[in-house]
Amino acid sequence: MISSGDWKQLGGKLTGSRTHVTAQRGVFTFMPTVHVKIWCHLLEWRVTTRLLFGERPFWWVGESGQFMGTSPELTQFSSTCETGPGSPSGHAMVTGAVLWVMVTSLSTSLYAWSGSFLLKIFPFLFYMPILLAVCISRVFILAHFPHQVLAGSLTGAFLGWFLSRWVPEGKPLKFFVHISMGLLLGALLLHCGLEYTGVNLSWSIQLAKKWCVRSEWIRLDTAPFSSLNRDCGAALGLGLALYLKPGGWSLPRAPRALSLAFSSMALYHVNRLPLPTVPTLLFYFLFFVKNTLVPLIVIAFIPGLVHSFTKHMSRKGDQKQK
């Protein structure tokens, strides 16, 4: 899933100047986007679900009572049985937001390089097809209704446009720590307050367990608080990466491509790391640490290693010439 994988989905200062800023924009667009989704989840208890249609298709068909005796046959997949409410679609929201940042950054780079207006608008030709493919896939696997992916796409596109104008360049580490802890504590306080008033916040988890055809498809990393951990971990990781190497690493074109390839492979393996689900608090802690590592790997560790390697090879080449 995008969330692991989401995530959270990144030449310049990730691997040079332009992409480093793009990575910052991407992470800081991703964070509020997921936070909007989390707050929607927390506020979607039984009364508002009927108004916001927060049900997911794979359980709504059985719960709605609309198909007495003639219930349609549904084909579920391993990604179908998500445990949070379905409105709006988090996958569509995050894709719409982060993809907007990537497209606009690439558009600016192409225009600065070529001066061509046609090349400037070329990246935007991929925005709608990719977003549409994500939306169709979410509807196809019975994870969302069409109006939920539409709401997620519109919200994500707006957040991408609005938040991409604010890049936290030059902010101290405590700024990112405050954001990370603020998001976490804010959602936890709201969660405790709603539970204190008698609101059942686990209603969607109970329905997912009831109607999912295979119990192993119910994964803890799809729960709303897993998204919150991912969000807060990404904020802290971005702050640590910028603290360790302010301004990022400046790499030539070939090392930049090498850094991007190694970063992609590293993120693939980090995403596949198995985490213990019992006890639950241990899972959430390790999930937080895992997602803190993602910005560190992409912005600091891998580009730093590639920079050191290319510098070493350059010195060896100079020594041979002498």
Side-chain angles (χ1 to χ4, degrees):
M1 53 183 295
I2 290 178
S3 48
S4 296
D6 353 335
W7 55 235
K8 34 40 59 273
Q9 325 128 59
L10 293 167
K13 276 189 187 177
L14 156 68
T15 48
S17 160
R18 167 64 55 183
T19 313
H20 178 71
V21 174
T22 304
Q24 293 185 56
R25 286 179 175 172
V27 173
F28 259 77
T29 302
F30 171 78
M31 286 169 18
T33 302
V34 175
H35 202 53
V36 167
K37 175 68 172 172
I38 294 164
W39 280 65
C40 288
H41 282 174
L42 291 176
L43 294 174
E44 279 186 315
W45 59 86
R46 280 295 183 183
V47 176
T48 54
T49 344
R50 303 305 177 187
L51 299 176
L52 298 176
F53 300 99
E55 316 273 4
R56 291 186 183 269
F58 78 92
W59 76 56
W60 177 83
V61 170
E63 289 286 318
S64 65
Q66 301 293 320
F67 305 96
M68 293 296 184
T70 58
S71 181
E73 290 188 14
L74 302 179
T75 301
Q76 296 184 13
F77 303 87
S78 59
S79 299
T80 297
C81 303
E82 297 201 11
T83 56
S87 184
S89 167
H91 285 75
M93 190 187 298
V94 171
T95 302
V98 177
L99 190 61
W100 179 267
V101 174
M102 297 174 67
V103 165
T104 53
S105 180
L106 179 58
S107 174
T108 302
S109 297
L110 288 175
Y111 186 72
W113 172 69
S114 67
S116 169
F117 179 76
L118 289 178
L119 277 180
K120 181 179 181 180
I121 65 172
F122 181 73
F124 290 94
L125 299 178
F126 294 92
Y127 182 79
M128 283 304 298
I130 294 175
L131 185 56
L132 182 62
V134 171
C135 293
I136 292 175
S137 70
R138 301 302 293 166
V139 174
F140 179 79
I141 66 172
L142 303 175
H144 290 288
F145 289 103
H147 69 277
Q148 294 172 342
V149 295
L150 177 61
S153 299
L154 294 176
T155 306
F158 172 76
L159 288 172
W161 168 80
F162 181 77
L163 295 170
S164 64
R165 299 168 181 269
W166 177 59
V167 181
E169 187 77 48
K171 297 291 184 181
L173 177 60
K174 65 179 181 180
F175 169 81
F176 298 92
V177 174
H178 290 162
I179 285 185
S180 179
M181 295 301 103
L183 293 176
L184 181 61
L185 293 176
L188 286 174
L189 286 173
L190 178 60
H191 182 275
C192 293
L194 292 175
E195 280 202 333
Y196 180 77
T197 59
V199 175
N200 178 19
L201 294 174
S202 61
W203 65 271
S204 61
I205 299 176
Q206 295 166 359
L207 288 176
K209 290 180 177 179
K210 178 180 177 180
W211 292 102
C212 187
V213 295
R214 297 178 64 174
S215 59
E216 63 268 25
W217 289 351
I218 300 291
R219 302 188 312 276
L220 197 54
D221 62 2
T222 67
F225 274 94
S226 293
S227 298
L228 177 62
N229 273 271
R230 184 183 302 113
D231 197 6
C232 298
L236 183 59
L238 177 61
L240 289 171
L242 298 180
Y243 174 76
L244 292 173
K245 182 59 180 176
W249 297 94
S250 181
L251 296 173
R253 189 180 300 274
R256 190 185 311 164
L258 184 64
S259 177
L260 183 60
F262 281 139
S263 295
S264 299
M265 288 188 289
L267 292 181
Y268 172 78
H269 289 292
V270 168
N271 183 48
R272 289 174 58 87
L273 283 175
L275 300 179
T277 56
V278 178
T280 306
L281 285 178
L282 176 62
F283 169 83
Y284 283 133
F285 172 75
L286 294 177
F287 197 66
F288 179 89
V289 172
K290 176 179 174 179
N291 286 281
T292 300
L293 290 174
V294 170
L296 284 168
I297 290 171
V298 173
I299 298 176
F301 294 161
I302 299 293
L305 289 173
V306 172
H307 180 269
S308 299
F309 175 75
T310 53
K311 191 174 181 180
H312 175 71
M313 295 302 294
S314 177
R315 285 176 179 173
K316 287 184 67 175
D318 293 340
Q319 290 175 355
K320 286 183 178 180
Q321 289 179 357
K322 292 178 180 179

